[in-house]
Amino acid sequence: MENRGVTLIELISALAISAILGLIAVPTMSHFIQQQQLRSAAYNLYHLLVNARATAISQQLRVSVWNQNGDWRSGVELFIDSNDNGQRENTETSLYTATDHENIHISGNRWVANYVSYLPNGRAATASGAFQAGTISLCKSGLNDKYQLVISIGGRLRLQKSPSNSCP
């Protein structure tokens, strides 16, 4: 006897098994995508700050990264800070602009709440000239991890992942 195909019962059974497996995989994939979005935002901001420091050293100029609207997630701008105030004026050269990070909470503590500024020697400094050290935290609602960009007294950066109890 020749086999000319599958029966309707076999086809329905295969579709039911596929649907069940799909339903199990969707929540896991959604969680994975959210984790990757957070990780990507953290690494993008890390590399932007590393680039700002390297540019300040190589060009022997003060270079700053600021959050344009007082909120790190609304977008950031890397620029040559010719008047040393940590805010971009129309006369200052913009080197890079990054768009917003949707649904990711990004906040800096007091010293890095609005900007990070690098001197020609690679040290981070405030507008008044004092050393600038601090932590920028990134988290996403529904995830148990957060990323922290830690800026040391010498201006060096460290990216670390840590558990998060809650995300605002």
Side-chain angles (χ1 to χ4, degrees), residues 6 14 22-24 28 30 33 49 53 61 66 73 78 82 89 97-98 114 116 123 126 131 139 141 144 146 157-158:
V6 294
L23 289 174
I24 292 171
T28 304
S30 173
I33 289 170
L49 291 170
R53 185 171 189 245
L61 297 168
W66 77 308
R73 69 178 164 190
L78 171 68
S82 56
E89 312 296 333
T97 303
N114 297 315
V116 177
R123 292 184 58 226
T126 63
F131 76 87
C139 64
S141 230
N144 296 329
K146 69 178 176 182
L157 283 164
R158 181 178 79 237

Side-chain angles (χ1 to χ4, degrees), residues 67-79:
N67 54 34
Q68 301 163 356
N69 301 321
D71 182 9
W72 282 103
R73 69 178 164 190
S74 66
V76 296
E77 194 165 6
L78 171 68
F79 63 98

Side-chain angles (χ1 to χ4, degrees), residues 4-109:
R4 295 187 180 190
V6 294
T7 66
L8 182 60
I9 293 174
E10 291 172 333
L11 183 62
I12 291 174
S13 298
L15 285 174
I17 291 171
S18 297
I20 290 170
L21 290 175
L23 289 174
I24 292 171
V26 167
T28 304
M29 186 59 124
S30 173
H31 186 73
F32 174 74
I33 289 170
Q34 289 181 352
Q35 285 178 326
Q36 289 305 103
Q37 288 172 341
L38 177 62
R39 182 178 185 267
S40 175
Y43 275 91
N44 286 343
L45 188 54
Y46 172 79
H47 289 295
L48 180 66
L49 291 170
V50 167
N51 187 21
R53 185 171 189 245
T55 303
I57 293 169
S58 66
Q59 300 295 320
Q60 287 296 292
L61 297 168
R62 185 173 188 141
V63 176
S64 296
V65 175
W66 77 308
N67 54 34
Q68 301 163 356
N69 301 321
D71 182 9
W72 282 103
R73 69 178 164 190
S74 66
V76 296
E77 194 165 6
L78 171 68
F79 63 98
I80 296 173
D81 195 358
S82 56
N83 62 2
D84 301 339
N85 69 351
Q87 296 179 355
R88 185 175 177 278
E89 312 296 333
N90 290 334
T91 58
E92 295 173 323
T93 305
S94 176
L95 302 174
Y96 179 78
T97 303
T99 58
D100 61 344
H101 298 286
E102 187 177 315
N103 299 323
I104 296 176
H105 180 75
I106 306 172
S107 63
N109 63 5

